[in-house]
Amino acid sequence: IGFKGDLARRARRATLAPRTVVFYRAGDDDGGLSMDATPSTALARFGVDELAVSRALSDMLGRGVDDADIYFEHIDSESISLEEGIVKKAGRSVRQGVGVRAVSGDRTGYAHSDAVDATGLLKAAGAAKAIARTADKDVSVALSPRPSGHDLYPIGDLPAIDVPLDDKIALLNAIDKRARAHDPRIEEVMAGISSQMRTVVIVQADGRLVVDVRPLLVLRVGCIAAEGSNRQVGSGAGGGRYDFETVLGDGRWEGWVDEAAARAVLNLGAIDCPAGTMDVVLGPGWPGILLHEAVGHGLEGDFNRKKTSAFAGLLGQRVASEGVTVVDDGTIASRRGSLNVDDEGTETRRNVLIEDGILKGYMQDRLNARLMGVPATGNGRRQSYAHTPMPRMTNTFMMAGQEAPEDI
């Protein structure tokens, strides 16, 4: 693939300096990043200062309020797609907003806005605090940055979101060429590249301020193979919290393309699945969705606190066969589900949910952890600044067993 000069030069000199907590550097024209930041420089991107945030947080706290936080979010997204050998769509968007939360018991007051300013923050704080009627005394909160112990996705000199469009088009054209060369029966190729940079600033009730900058790059490939009137589809995809150069290296994109083309061609000769009841052996990969839906969601704290999960009240009991161990791990470097901190500012960790068939624990956010009398597990997730956090999965999987596939 031929890449234009800027990417080649910058990729060669790129350094992945560890940045456990990443702050925007005040006064930089290129929106650079630095460790030596204050709360004010971290908040500068959102057009508010330390005093405004401190006032809003202080206004929420008092009698009847058990917890509170302010969540700032800035998302820069880009997507580009190819079909019929040409780039048909490309788009770039920026979204920004703030969510303000006050918690009393199991009740949550939440207000959000895509317009961020000091006046709006105070109004949002007042709306959120409505669940806690009145305060018995004034509360003042000073902000202080808090480092995280994780550095799961270092930010280099050239994040994927900033790679020139021409370089991404060059990759899409290379994907199209490789897929068609796989087999003459490949008659159509669809490919897309999506990149994102999400910056979150979380201010907790005690004034601690946490910042996380989260890169994301996803590549998707679809192929259509045809033989007479028989047309079949195959797909391949991959992605994670890494830069564009990572996708270009060690055969990653080539593997995803070959997988999509091979599946499309294989499906041309596929026969109908026999009907009836039978034993099914599931391998690694997409069958993990069944684990995610049937088991993972059932181990999230809110469903168990409300006793709507099949796993409610079964801690310490056998819920699966011997040899079955299920883990939720948000600390795997560069994986799409990994986070340095969750959306409440709690560090992620490796949580063993089921061990050798015995239920060991649930995934928790701060609210459900407090109500259930257990520690938060770093699983507080938000759909966006407009949504309250809830306990949800990071990277959830079943550990390998001891049996050989042939024996199964």
Side-chain angles (χ1 to χ4, degrees), residues 78-399:
E78 180 187 77
S79 63
I80 178 171
S81 61
L82 174 144
E83 190 175 344
E84 297 179 341
I86 59 175
V87 174
K88 287 196 169 183
K89 294 180 181 178
R92 183 90 179 232
S93 65
V94 175
R95 289 179 292 146
Q96 177 172 295
V98 62
V100 181
R101 177 177 65 151
V103 180
S104 178
D106 61 354
R107 295 173 299 165
T108 297
Y110 198 76
H112 61 87
S113 174
D114 57 3
V116 185
D117 56 39
T119 302
L121 269 181
L122 285 173
K123 288 182 178 179
K129 188 188 174 184
I131 60 165
R133 305 301 178 185
T134 58
D136 58 348
K137 62 179 180 179
D138 293 336
V139 179
S140 178
V141 178
L143 307 188
S144 61
R146 187 190 75 176
S148 165
H150 296 326
D151 182 32
L152 304 177
Y153 29 87
I155 309 299
D157 282 353
L158 192 61
I161 192 72
D162 295 328
V163 170
L165 199 59
D166 286 344
D167 296 312
K168 294 172 182 174
I169 293 174
L171 176 56
L172 290 176
N173 286 329
I175 289 170
D176 183 80
K177 181 178 179 181
R178 185 180 182 92
R180 293 179 187 276
H182 180 86
D183 191 287
R185 290 171 290 180
I186 299 293
E187 69 169 21
E188 187 56 84
V189 179
M190 298 80 70
I193 300 172
S194 301
S195 53
Q196 182 186 94
M197 187 68 79
R198 180 191 300 254
T199 303
V200 300
V201 178
I202 306 155
V203 185
Q204 299 176 332
D206 58 3
R208 289 185 293 182
L209 181 146
V210 183
V211 183
D212 196 18
V213 179
R214 303 167 178 173
L216 183 62
L217 177 63
V218 177
L219 189 151
R220 296 181 176 88
V221 183
C223 295
I224 299 177
E227 194 169 49
S229 61
N230 184 12
R231 301 175 82 247
Q232 299 292 335
V233 178
S235 62
R241 301 192 183 280
Y242 39 66
D243 58 22
F244 194 65
E245 283 293 295
T246 301
V247 172
L248 299 181
D250 65 23
R252 288 201 188 195
W253 72 269
E254 294 95 334
W256 299 331
V257 175
D258 294 347
E259 181 181 40
R263 284 177 173 173
V265 172
L266 180 65
N267 286 340
L268 290 174
I271 62 173
D272 292 336
C273 179
T277 302
M278 64 195 74
D279 292 332
V280 177
V281 178
L282 302 177
W286 285 109
I289 293 175
L290 296 177
L291 177 74
H292 175 102
E293 298 295 346
V295 178
H297 283 305
L299 296 176
E300 292 162 343
D302 51 348
F303 298 125
N304 287 280
R305 177 177 64 83
K306 298 172 184 177
K307 303 190 183 305
T308 59
S309 167
F311 296 99
L314 298 180
L315 282 175
Q317 300 182 39
R318 179 166 299 281
V319 295
S321 302
E322 291 184 8
V324 172
T325 296
V326 177
V327 175
D328 181 84
D329 190 351
T331 68
I332 306 173
S334 300
R335 294 304 294 265
R336 186 172 180 177
S338 296
L339 297 169
N340 288 321
V341 294
D342 69 6
D343 293 330
E344 297 180 304
T346 304
E347 285 188 14
T348 54
R349 69 186 199 185
R350 177 183 173 89
N351 298 297
V352 177
L353 306 173
I354 299 173
E355 186 173 27
D356 200 24
I358 305 300
L359 181 60
K360 293 294 185 178
Y362 305 119
M363 292 168 277
Q364 302 285 5
D365 62 354
R366 290 208 317 259
L367 183 150
N368 287 280
R370 175 174 54 81
L371 294 175
M372 296 180 74
V374 296
T377 60
N379 289 93
R381 307 294 302 276
R382 303 177 196 239
Q383 185 175 334
S384 75
Y385 69 86
H387 300 82
T388 58
M390 57 184 65
R392 292 297 179 261
M393 288 170 271
T394 56
N395 304 298
T396 307
F397 51 92
M398 185 185 296
M399 299 293 292

Side-chain angles (χ1 to χ4, degrees), residues 401-408:
Q402 303 298 318
E403 303 296 330
E406 311 82 64
D407 297 335
I408 298 175

